[in-house]
Amino acid sequence: MNVILRYFGKLSRRQELSQVFDWMQQNQKINVASYSSYVKLMGKSLSSVEALVMYKSIKDRSTKINVSVCNALLSCLVKNGKSESSLKLFTQMKRDGLVPDAVTYSTLLAGCAKVKDGYSKALELVQELMSNGLLMDSVTYGSLLSVCASHKECNEAEKYFQKMKAEGQSPNVYHYSSLLNAYSVDGNYEKAEALIEEMRSAGLVLNKVVYTTLLKVYVKGGFFEKSKELLKELEAFGYAKDEMPFCLLMDGLVKSGLLLEAKSVFDEMMGKHVKTDGYSYSIMISAFCRSGLLEDAKKLASEFEEKYDKYDVVILNAMLSAYCRAGEIENVMSMMKKMDDSAISPDWNTFNILIRYFCKEKLYLLAYRTMQDMHRKGHQPEEGLCSSLIYYLGKTDAHSEAFSVYNMLRYSKRTISKSLHEKILHILIAGRLLKDAYVVVKDNARFISRPAIKRFAVNFMRSGNVNLINDVMKAMHSSGHRIDQELFDMAISRYVSKPEKKELLLQLLEWMSGQGYVIDPSTRNLILKNSHLFGHQLIAESLSKQLVVSKKVKPHKENAR
């Protein structure tokens, strides 16, 4: 059965491969080689979710912690862009008894190139590898160099490259291109050129990746004449049949403010009928938009639509941005429909473009629904955009929607500004959403001004949920806000109007005594006048405690004078 698995895998017949594997599982005709072969042969056709479900279904412990099976699964996660998940799973695998090998660490290192704090995580993996008595091989070094390049650790990349050579390992084209990529971070063309000469001396053939990476170095350093000369070499070698080398140069020119030169490269590329996936169009459309040349951006967007029936999220975002800036809602809706028809998922940039546009057009509820969709898709909203939308929603009396946006931001991993808590508090008070306002005050009182807290408290005492009055008092006191007589009078008046809440009144009086608060004579008389509603004995006891407190407080005040 394993032979049949490999047979279908080599023919890339994924459906039959999956069917055979399912039958093997159901009939218990399966071993370590079956699991590892299946995951490897399925490649990206096996989603990370499917791979994890399959792994969790393994009953035999020895199979589950087999290094070959674990390596195959971790590799699947990394290839599917789930590097963070692969690192978490690796930790769990070790707890279960996995003994990782060099392949395990190389696989995880490759994933570190695409995760936040990837370099520090890579260093932890390297340290662990060495602690386990394993040696760095050429694959491990290659992955580590790639991580250094991705996280702009040029000096570290050089250090590991030299260390690799000192250990007697000969760098290959991949190692050299990774180091070149590190040099592209700051456009260090002198070191890049020296590295190219070293490659030639070592008898290595400079391939398309190497030349393209060198072009990247020149562009980053702003050496555009060198870039143009190298681009001609790429064309002569047949390495510029697709748009990427042209795009590197165009993007560099645009970022340096040389829009006309970038357009010239674009026109040259179009004249040579270079294969394009739309990236070159997206660069120029975005550049025109940023420069305020909306007609040029729209013209290029229309040209792309006429010529090509192929879209990705980058080109669609560029076109969407052009139409949004021009205020052409029909074309905006057309772009959104194209995304749906092409089953292209909007990214963070798409949502931001749309929300800003809807706010500009005063379609605030549509902007809100778009932000809801953004949040559901797992994209974290930007605070500035959220703050603007919260303000507009509050102005249009969409108070609960404004609070919803506030919560999206509050529960994201971003740090939000202190002023936003007070901003949403005023909106909630205006909308009479006093229970929600109480939550904001309770959790963030230290960031809210005393006048704002007082305004909230007055509104709550007048019309907030009577069952929460005591909680509001305690929350204010805990935040360091000394409660004045006016608020206590309002609270007690609310209780007097609702005799069925006598327990809450008695609790408030008890708490006031414990915290050193006293009631004024007029409020005391109001309670006595209505004591028959609450029970004469209970009221008498509570007021006697208040009297003791007032006698203690009075001498303190006189001494203070």
Side-chain angles (χ1 to χ4, degrees):
M1 296 310 300
N2 284 341
V3 170
I4 295 171
L5 271 181
R6 288 191 285 273
Y7 172 76
F8 283 130
K10 288 175 183 176
L11 295 177
S12 297
R13 291 168 65 172
R14 305 282 187 257
Q15 186 175 353
E16 290 93 336
L17 175 62
S18 184
Q19 288 171 347
V20 170
F21 183 77
D22 288 343
W23 183 92
M24 291 171 72
Q25 277 189 309
Q26 291 164 14
N27 292 274
Q28 298 181 346
K29 304 287 184 183
I30 201 161
N31 62 8
V32 166
S34 314
Y35 285 107
S36 57
S37 296
Y38 175 68
V39 176
K40 289 174 185 174
L41 294 168
M42 283 292 285
K44 283 193 174 182
S45 299
L46 182 66
S47 73
S48 56
V49 174
E50 291 171 322
L52 287 169
V53 169
M54 178 217 71
Y55 180 71
K56 289 175 182 177
S57 72
I58 299 174
K59 298 289 188 292
D60 181 61
R61 182 179 177 278
S62 62
T63 302
K64 201 165 188 175
I65 63 170
N66 180 274
V67 69
S68 178
V69 173
C70 292
N71 287 348
L73 180 64
L74 293 171
S75 178
C76 175
L77 293 175
V78 169
K79 287 175 181 175
N80 278 283
K82 302 293 181 182
S83 298
E84 291 279 8
S85 299
S86 71
L87 290 166
K88 289 177 183 175
L89 183 61
F90 174 60
T91 301
Q92 184 59 52
M93 287 172 167
K94 286 189 293 182
R95 287 197 200 105
D96 293 339
L98 168 69
V99 179
D101 61 10
V103 175
T104 316
Y105 289 106
S106 295
T107 302
L108 293 168
L109 281 170
C112 288
K114 298 177 181 178
V115 299
K116 187 180 179 181
D117 299 324
Y119 178 67
S120 60
K121 289 174 181 175
L123 290 185
E124 289 174 14
L125 289 170
V126 170
Q127 186 62 45
E128 188 179 312
L129 175 149
M130 292 177 173
S131 298
N132 289 341
L134 298 172
L135 297 175
M136 298 270 287
D137 58 15
S138 63
V139 178
T140 314
Y141 271 114
S143 299
L144 187 54
L145 286 169
S146 177
V147 173
C148 291
S150 298
H151 293 278
K152 302 180 180 181
E153 295 286 347
C154 182
N155 292 335
E156 295 302 304
E158 283 184 327
K159 184 180 79 175
Y160 286 115
F161 188 79
Q162 296 302 327
K163 186 172 183 289
M164 178 185 175
K165 290 198 294 183
E167 290 175 1
Q169 300 190 52
S170 300
N172 58 28
V173 173
Y174 176 72
H175 298 106
Y176 278 102
S177 61
S178 292
L179 185 53
L180 268 179
N181 201 25
Y183 290 145
S184 72
V185 171
D186 54 4
N188 196 328
Y189 83 96
E190 292 178 340
K191 285 187 175 181
E193 288 180 345
L195 199 65
I196 293 293
E197 288 306 311
E198 185 179 318
M199 287 182 72
R200 289 189 173 118
S201 299
L204 295 173
V205 177
L206 306 187
N207 60 18
K208 179 181 176 180
V209 174
V210 174
Y211 276 112
T212 306
T213 307
L214 181 59
L215 177 64
K216 196 173 165 185
V217 175
Y218 287 151
V219 169
K220 185 66 178 179
F223 305 104
F224 296 121
E225 290 307 315
K226 280 179 173 287
S227 302
K228 290 172 185 176
E229 290 172 12
L230 184 57
L231 183 56
K232 289 177 182 176
E233 285 188 52
L234 279 161
E235 289 183 88
F237 290 131
Y239 294 156
K241 292 180 180 178
D242 59 43
E243 66 182 339
M244 187 49 66
F246 293 93
C247 288
L248 285 172
L249 179 54
M250 284 162 48
D251 189 51
L253 290 166
V254 164
K255 287 176 179 174
S256 297
L258 303 172
L259 183 57
L260 291 178
E261 288 192 40
K263 182 64 167 60
S264 175
V265 174
F266 177 80
D267 291 338
E268 180 187 345
M269 189 186 95
M270 291 294 109
K272 293 176 178 178
H273 305 289
V274 174
K275 181 183 175 183
T276 175
D277 289 324
Y279 183 43
S280 53
Y281 276 91
S282 70
I283 290 172
M284 292 311 305
I285 292 170
S286 297
F288 284 138
C289 285
R290 287 193 297 272
S291 300
L293 303 172
L294 300 183
E295 288 303 317
D296 291 305
K298 281 166 48 187
K299 181 180 176 183
L300 214 53
S302 299
E303 180 184 310
F304 181 83
E305 286 192 79
E306 288 173 11
K307 282 187 178 181
Y308 307 97
D309 190 26
K310 182 179 181 181
Y311 298 95
D312 64 14
V313 71
V314 176
I315 182 63
L316 282 169
N317 281 348
M319 296 165 73
L320 192 62
S321 181
Y323 293 136
C324 283
R325 288 182 185 231
E328 298 189 358
I329 194 161
E330 288 185 9
N331 283 326
V332 169
M333 296 305 173
S334 172
M335 285 297 100
M336 292 171 68
K337 187 176 184 302
K338 277 185 171 62
M339 292 188 92
D340 286 338
D341 293 344
S342 305
I344 296 172
S345 296
D347 63 7
W348 183 89
N349 196 30
T350 315
F351 285 114
N352 273 269
I353 292 168
L354 289 171
I355 293 167
R356 290 182 191 282
Y357 171 65
F358 293 144
C359 285
K360 177 186 168 188
E361 296 295 320
K362 299 182 179 178
L363 301 168
Y364 304 126
L365 288 177
L366 186 52
Y368 165 67
R369 288 195 289 273
T370 306
M371 185 162 282
Q372 277 186 310
D373 193 24
M374 177 185 191
H375 184 68
R376 280 193 293 267
K377 295 282 174 62
H379 298 293
Q380 291 187 14
E382 184 185 72
E383 183 184 345
L385 190 58
C386 283
S387 185
S388 297
L389 184 54
I390 287 170
Y391 171 78
Y392 291 128
L393 290 169
K395 282 287 185 182
T396 52
D397 296 333
H399 307 104
S400 61
E401 287 82 359
F403 187 54
S404 176
V405 175
Y406 167 79
N407 281 327
M408 288 179 207
L409 188 60
R410 189 161 67 102
Y411 291 117
S412 71
K413 295 178 181 177
R414 298 181 185 275
T415 302
I416 64 177
S417 64
K418 298 172 183 178
S419 61
L420 192 60
H421 303 297
E422 186 161 330
K423 179 187 286 189
I424 193 63
L425 179 62
H426 287 300
I427 290 171
L428 294 172
I429 293 170
R432 314 306 301 163
L433 299 174
L434 298 176
K435 186 176 180 180
D436 294 325
Y438 162 57
V439 172
V440 172
V441 170
K442 184 179 69 170
D443 294 342
N444 305 283
R446 64 190 184 280
F447 303 132
I448 301 172
S449 68
R450 290 188 178 278
I453 290 180
K454 178 66 183 291
R455 183 186 171 212
F456 153 73
V458 168
N459 278 272
F460 200 96
M461 295 309 136
R462 283 175 181 161
S463 55
N465 186 335
V466 69
N467 295 318
L468 291 175
I469 284 177
N470 290 356
D471 293 322
V472 169
M473 292 290 193
K474 291 173 184 177
M476 291 176 64
H477 179 79
S478 298
S479 69
H481 187 97
R482 188 72 184 168
I483 304 168
D484 61 27
Q485 194 65 49
E486 179 190 5
L487 289 179
F488 281 124
D489 292 349
M490 294 175 72
I492 290 169
S493 297
R494 284 286 302 281
Y495 286 138
V496 167
S497 68
K498 294 180 180 292
E500 70 274 13
K501 301 297 180 182
K502 70 176 183 179
E503 288 299 325
L504 292 175
L505 171 60
L506 294 170
Q507 287 171 17
L508 178 60
L509 293 173
E510 181 78 20
W511 179 79
M512 288 175 67
S513 299
Q515 301 302 323
Y517 289 107
V518 296
I519 56 174
D520 64 6
S522 62
T523 307
R524 183 184 183 83
N525 290 335
L526 177 65
I527 296 172
L528 286 170
K529 184 179 176 181
N530 294 276
S531 62
H532 62 284
L533 300 174
F534 302 97
H536 292 292
Q537 183 64 30
L538 292 172
I539 291 298
E541 289 175 3
S542 295
L543 291 179
S544 67
K545 289 179 182 178
Q546 275 283 314
L547 192 59
V548 171
V549 171
S550 66
K551 287 179 178 178
K552 288 180 179 178
V553 171
K554 192 173 181 180
H556 287 308
K557 288 183 177 177
E558 289 175 353
N559 290 335
R561 290 196 194 100

